[in-house]
Amino acid sequence: MCWLCDAKTPAAPLHPVAAPSEHRWSSRRAFVLAGAGAAALGTTGTALAQVDVGKSSALRKLVPAERLEEAAGQQYAQMLAEARSKRALAPDNHPQLLRLRAMARKLIPFTLPWNDRARQWRWEVNLIGSKQINAFCMPGGKIAFYTGILDQLKLSDDEAAMIMGHEMAHALREHARERIAKSQATGLGLSIGAQLLGLGELGNMAANLGTQLLSLKFSRDDESEADLVGLELAARAAYQPQASVTLWQKMAAAGGGSGPGFLSTHPSGPERIRELQDNVPKVETLFNQARRGG
């Protein structure tokens, strides 16, 4: 998963990290990319997807998207408040945070073809001081990176953009919504047909999903979809596709499936790397066009 991958409530307390000109990170105002890039879609072009991930599961409709996004936003705000109280939330002028927000601005314009709901999202990007190798994007476009994933893996911009694209893809493909729908429908013994006619218990539960989101884990198919959609998003934003391969090679070297946080829920075996290698040629033309400004 991602933030859903054990991220939201770290096992260890957040570690304050010194910014270049500060001893500790101070409180800062929220940064919001309110629909950033949405209007730009009219000029960026929306060519058909080059990677093949099939259609999103209709099962996700059992959970109201609006309520899930609202619950995710509340959980995200609580997480930021906790980080701020520990002086671990990066200020707006922190170099690594500026770097991440610049990436988001490049990626966001290419999200709408994957999910029209992204038109309404108020994207946010924040950076938390922690040794954890982790990053996530909650439903509704709430993104966070931990400094550990940038520093310990020594990520290039292209590699970091692949992670951001991957996490955005989980939100765009509504993997959390689908996982919750499946678990709740099973746990409550509800028939899909009945729930499509009236959401009932699932509709009521969607308003209080914070705890469930924290324990959610994505399937291997979800991870594969996020890899490929993220690869295409990054290529369209002029980030080098081959970086998707070098990223997961670094992940494997850092511990693969045996590590904490991101690594424990994102196994980086040969199969994953081979799948990315097979799909890199599919998006090379997109990357070349983007690099030329076309």
Side-chain angles (χ1 to χ4, degrees):
M1 192 194 52
C2 299
W3 71 283
L4 302 166
C5 45
D6 301 351
K8 285 336 44 159
T9 49
L14 296 173
H15 300 283
V17 179
S21 60
E22 306 173 55
H23 291 296
R24 290 180 181 275
W25 289 352
S26 58
S27 299
R28 14 78 68 212
R29 63 178 177 77
F31 168 83
V32 179
L33 285 164
L41 271 173
T43 58
T44 57
T46 55
L48 294 176
Q50 300 302 298
V51 297
D52 182 13
V53 294
K55 295 182 179 179
S56 295
S57 170
L59 192 64
R60 71 191 193 284
K61 295 180 181 179
L62 296 180
V63 174
E66 297 86 353
R67 296 188 188 179
L68 178 59
E69 290 164 12
E70 180 182 1
Q74 293 171 354
Q75 185 68 35
Y76 186 74
Q78 292 173 9
M79 184 202 66
L80 295 185
E82 178 185 356
R84 186 179 295 112
S85 71
K86 298 177 184 298
R87 307 279 184 136
L89 188 63
D92 288 331
N93 62 353
H94 191 281
Q96 287 185 323
L97 181 56
L98 292 174
R99 175 189 178 202
L100 292 172
R101 289 177 175 174
M103 289 176 196
R105 290 190 183 95
K106 292 181 180 180
L107 291 165
I108 289 171
F110 302 102
T111 59
L112 285 188
W114 293 100
N115 190 331
D116 192 61
R117 287 197 57 78
R119 193 183 305 275
Q120 306 169 34
W121 292 356
R122 292 178 61 81
W123 294 88
E124 295 188 43
V125 182
N126 283 286
L127 177 65
I128 296 173
S130 171
K131 294 180 179 179
Q132 287 192 63
I133 296 178
N134 217 337
F136 63 85
C137 179
M138 293 187 182
K142 308 304 185 186
I143 300 169
F145 271 64
Y146 292 107
T147 53
I149 200 166
L150 299 174
D151 296 339
Q152 295 185 47
L153 299 184
K154 297 183 177 4
L155 298 180
S156 67
D157 283 359
D158 294 306
E159 291 165 342
M162 290 297 161
I163 290 178
M164 186 174 289
H166 173 101
E167 300 306 328
M168 285 179 163
H170 277 308
L172 293 168
R173 297 291 287 177
E174 299 186 292
H175 291 153
R177 191 179 174 197
E178 180 183 347
R179 292 289 122 200
I180 290 171
K182 287 181 178 179
S183 63
Q184 290 300 331
T186 300
L188 295 173
L190 300 171
S191 72
I192 293 177
Q195 290 307 304
L196 288 174
L197 294 175
L199 289 173
E201 291 297 323
L202 282 176
N204 295 331
M205 288 182 175
N208 187 26
L209 292 172
T211 301
Q212 293 180 55
L213 286 174
L214 297 183
S215 61
L216 213 56
K217 292 186 183 298
F218 294 142
S219 70
R220 181 64 189 92
D221 286 343
D222 292 341
E223 290 296 333
S224 179
E225 279 191 13
D227 281 350
L228 299 186
V229 174
L231 170 64
E232 179 156 325
L233 287 174
R236 288 183 182 275
Y239 289 104
Q240 171 60 253
Q242 188 61 28
S244 64
V245 175
T246 60
L247 165 66
W248 288 104
Q249 289 171 338
K250 285 185 176 182
M251 289 288 189
S258 63
F262 194 95
L263 295 177
S264 67
T265 53
H266 292 72
S268 51
E271 181 182 349
R272 185 170 205 158
I273 293 173
R274 276 196 301 271
E275 184 176 29
L276 284 165
Q277 288 174 325
D278 289 343
N279 279 273
V280 163
K282 297 179 182 180
V283 299
E284 285 284 2
T285 298
L286 298 176
F287 165 68
N288 290 330
Q289 290 175 343
R291 188 173 54 177
R292 291 194 303 265

